[in-house]
Amino acid sequence: RYEPTWGSLDARPLPAWFDEAKFGVFIHWGVFSVPSFGSEWFWWYWQKEKREPYVKFMDANYPPGFSYEDFGPLFTAEFFDPNQWADILKASGAKYVVLTSKHHEGFTLWGSKYSWNWNAVDVGPKRDLVAELATSVRNRTDLHFGLYHSLFEWFNPLFLEDATNAFNTSKFPTSKSLPELYEIVTKYQPEIIWSDGDGNAPDTYWNSTGFLAWLYNDSPVRDTVVTNDRWGAGSICAHGGFYTCSDRYNPGRLLPHKWENCMTIDRGSWGYRRDARLWDYLPIEDLVKQLVETVSCGGNLLMNIGPTHDGRIAVVFEERLRQVGSWLEVNGEAIYGTKPWRAQNDTVTPGVWYTFTPKEGKVNAIFLNWPVSGILELGEPRAKPGETQVKLAGYRELLKWVALGEKGMVIALPQLTPQQMPCQWGWTLQLTDVD
């Protein structure tokens, strides 16, 4: 059994499915999707920091005295079709999904008995959004279902009182935050608990180790659940299951501990923004590049979308997700279930990243630029004349190659028209019998 100490909890092996999955979709949805302006931190920027664009936006569009709570009934979700969401998630090639069950605004997407009249069953949609999505994902896909949960709440009076007492009192975690965590685990059995928002309070204030010991020992998901590293000030990148280290974390090198790059398709926000422009959305080339770089360095990619207040996944998000899925249909063998190779990227040709498929003993060289010459030089693999074989994923015939001394090889790519290409945005060479 795990003790409620970091020493004991950190020794728990990460369930194997998480490392094999490689790619997940993050969904930021909540009351902030109603103003859908600027950022999901709308309430904080408007009321606490009083940032000019937010104040102006409210003055111009809402009556005097309009409060953030007044957005609650406007969070309607009338177009939310969990089956359609599940089908889009499946088409993306993702192996897991993480939904914001509660963001820093404190509004829960399920009918929490600890969030009276500030939840999706009492206010707004009048639906249990967590339950509906969980059911559709489990019935229609093989994705693992996960939940994001914010420890703190910006304006909760109990949290503010504890903060005033320098966190020597713990009214908020004992009456709100922890009961909610136990509630979502027991009720929805998520296989990922993605914690966030420590409010600058230490893990001892949140009793994170106590909760995690229960999660790993006695909860209904004790054998399969994975957690991240955001369990209190100082725990990020140091304690917990997989490390996130920071938002949009992409170190570009191999790390000794399992990590995740959580990032957004919309460069400027995690929640939906009505004021986003086309160039605010990362193009598919960038998304494939992020995925390849992340996986070759031992990480998972968690790619975020923000649905609208009425429950739609905007078509630009859907298109990006389906594009990633179409790329993975051809190149998935170089991503899912792979391990980092001895070299992460090539020493001679930039934009080439390596992964290793242990089952077949294959080295995958994923190259992001198709050379004009039709010749690709790799500086890392040690090829064996007469033994090494080179294949292009999605193309039938073996490719011709020449070894360059002890290390490195030159590969002749097939001459293909754009229509004959197995895919776009990045290609995989599968090398067998190389050192």
Side-chain angles (χ1 to χ4, degrees):
R1 286 178 70 82
Y2 296 97
E3 297 298 316
T5 63
W6 285 125
S8 177
L9 297 167
D10 289 345
R12 176 184 184 252
L14 199 69
W17 74 260
F18 184 76
D19 179 53
E20 288 164 9
K22 302 302 182 193
F23 174 48
V25 174
F26 215 169
I27 302 176
H28 271 67
W29 197 30
V31 173
F32 50 81
S33 310
V34 178
S36 52
F37 172 86
S39 163
E40 74 290 347
W41 278 56
F42 184 93
W43 193 2
W44 182 261
Y45 292 155
W46 166 42
Q47 287 289 345
K48 180 70 178 175
E49 295 190 2
K50 302 199 184 327
R51 293 191 184 183
E52 193 185 9
Y54 295 82
V55 174
K56 274 187 170 169
F57 173 79
M58 289 305 296
D59 289 348
N61 297 290
Y62 294 92
F66 190 96
S67 71
Y68 190 81
E69 289 86 340
D70 293 329
F71 283 125
L74 305 176
F75 177 56
T76 47
E78 68 266 32
F79 294 124
F80 172 52
D81 178 352
N83 287 341
Q84 184 203 17
W85 281 29
D87 293 347
I88 292 171
L89 291 167
K90 186 178 181 178
S92 76
K95 297 298 181 190
Y96 61 100
V97 58
V98 178
L99 172 70
T100 51
S101 70
K102 182 193 83 171
H103 201 256
H104 313 321
E105 62 188 16
F107 186 92
T108 66
L109 297 192
W110 80 99
S112 176
K113 52 179 182 254
Y114 307 101
S115 191
W116 181 81
N117 218 30
W118 190 235
N119 68 71
V121 174
D122 292 342
V123 180
K126 305 282 172 79
R127 294 162 69 176
D128 185 332
L129 305 174
V130 173
E132 289 188 37
L133 187 61
T135 301
S136 290
V137 164
R138 285 165 175 154
N139 286 345
R140 301 172 80 91
T141 79
D142 60 358
L143 274 81
H144 296 264
F145 183 77
L147 291 173
Y148 164 108
H149 177 271
S150 172
L151 291 171
F152 90 130
E153 295 169 18
W154 289 314
F155 299 110
N156 190 298
L158 293 176
F159 176 74
L160 296 175
E161 186 186 328
D162 287 345
T164 305
N165 298 330
F167 303 117
N168 291 316
T169 54
S170 53
K171 286 184 181 174
F172 179 72
T174 50
S175 63
K176 182 80 163 70
S177 217
L178 285 165
E180 284 174 349
L181 277 167
Y182 288 106
E183 188 178 36
I184 55 174
V185 171
T186 311
K187 206 167 176 181
Y188 306 109
Q189 306 190 6
E191 289 183 280
I192 302 155
I193 294 286
W194 216 99
S195 182
D196 190 28
D198 58 43
N200 299 319
D203 63 81
T204 47
Y205 167 77
W206 296 112
N207 191 19
S208 299
T209 55
F211 168 73
L212 290 171
W214 170 80
L215 188 69
Y216 296 166
N217 290 324
D218 302 310
S219 81
V221 286
R222 59 187 172 271
D223 297 327
T224 55
V225 72
V226 296
T227 61
N228 66 344
D229 55 351
R230 302 187 181 193
W231 293 100
S235 74
I236 192 164
C237 219
H239 295 297
F242 58 89
Y243 292 172
T244 63
C245 299
S246 66
D247 293 348
R248 304 180 179 85
Y249 183 66
N250 188 6
R253 59 188 169 83
L254 186 61
L255 297 187
H257 192 282
K258 183 66 195 182
W259 61 282
E260 182 183 71
N261 172 4
C262 60
M263 45 73 72
T264 57
I265 296 176
D266 172 359
R267 301 168 210 264
S269 174
W270 296 81
Y272 178 72
R273 293 190 300 152
R274 284 179 290 165
D275 54 328
R277 307 288 172 91
L278 183 60
W279 52 84
D280 289 330
Y281 297 102
L282 290 173
I284 180 61
E285 291 82 359
D286 285 20
L287 299 176
V288 168
K289 182 173 182 277
Q290 288 266 342
L291 177 63
V292 170
E293 287 178 4
T294 299
V295 172
S296 70
C297 294
N300 280 17
L301 189 73
L302 185 61
M303 188 183 290
N304 178 74
I305 60 169
T308 60
H309 77 279
D310 53 14
R312 291 170 298 116
I313 293 174
V315 288
V316 66
F317 288 134
E318 180 178 350
E319 181 188 50
R320 292 293 186 275
L321 292 178
R322 289 185 184 276
Q323 285 173 321
V324 175
S326 72
W327 187 84
L328 282 164
E329 268 179 32
V330 177
N331 302 280
E333 277 183 41
I335 299 293
Y336 305 125
T338 58
K339 298 285 180 211
W341 193 45
R342 60 172 171 80
Q344 276 58 68
N345 53 336
D346 196 61
T347 40
V348 174
T349 304
V352 179
W353 294 82
Y354 293 103
T355 63
F356 181 67
T357 308
K359 270 186 204 156
E360 289 95 23
K362 264 193 284 209
V363 172
N364 308 295
I366 308 170
F367 60 106
L368 300 172
N369 305 299
W370 190 282
V372 179
S373 63
I375 303 289
L376 187 69
E377 186 180 340
L378 299 179
E380 276 302 322
R382 296 186 185 98
K384 303 176 202 166
E387 292 179 45
T388 299
Q389 292 192 334
V390 181
K391 203 171 171 294
L392 176 70
Y395 180 75
R396 281 193 178 165
E397 289 151 45
L398 292 173
L399 306 190
K400 293 187 167 65
W401 60 271
V402 179
L404 290 176
E406 289 203 351
K407 197 176 173 187
M409 59 197 296
V410 174
I411 298 158
L413 298 173
Q415 292 184 315
L416 302 172
T417 65
Q419 284 72 29
Q420 293 169 318
M421 287 273 187
C423 59
Q424 302 175 67
W425 319 308
W427 302 267
T428 302
L429 292 175
Q430 299 166 331
L431 316 175
T432 44
D433 285 311
V434 294
D435 292 332

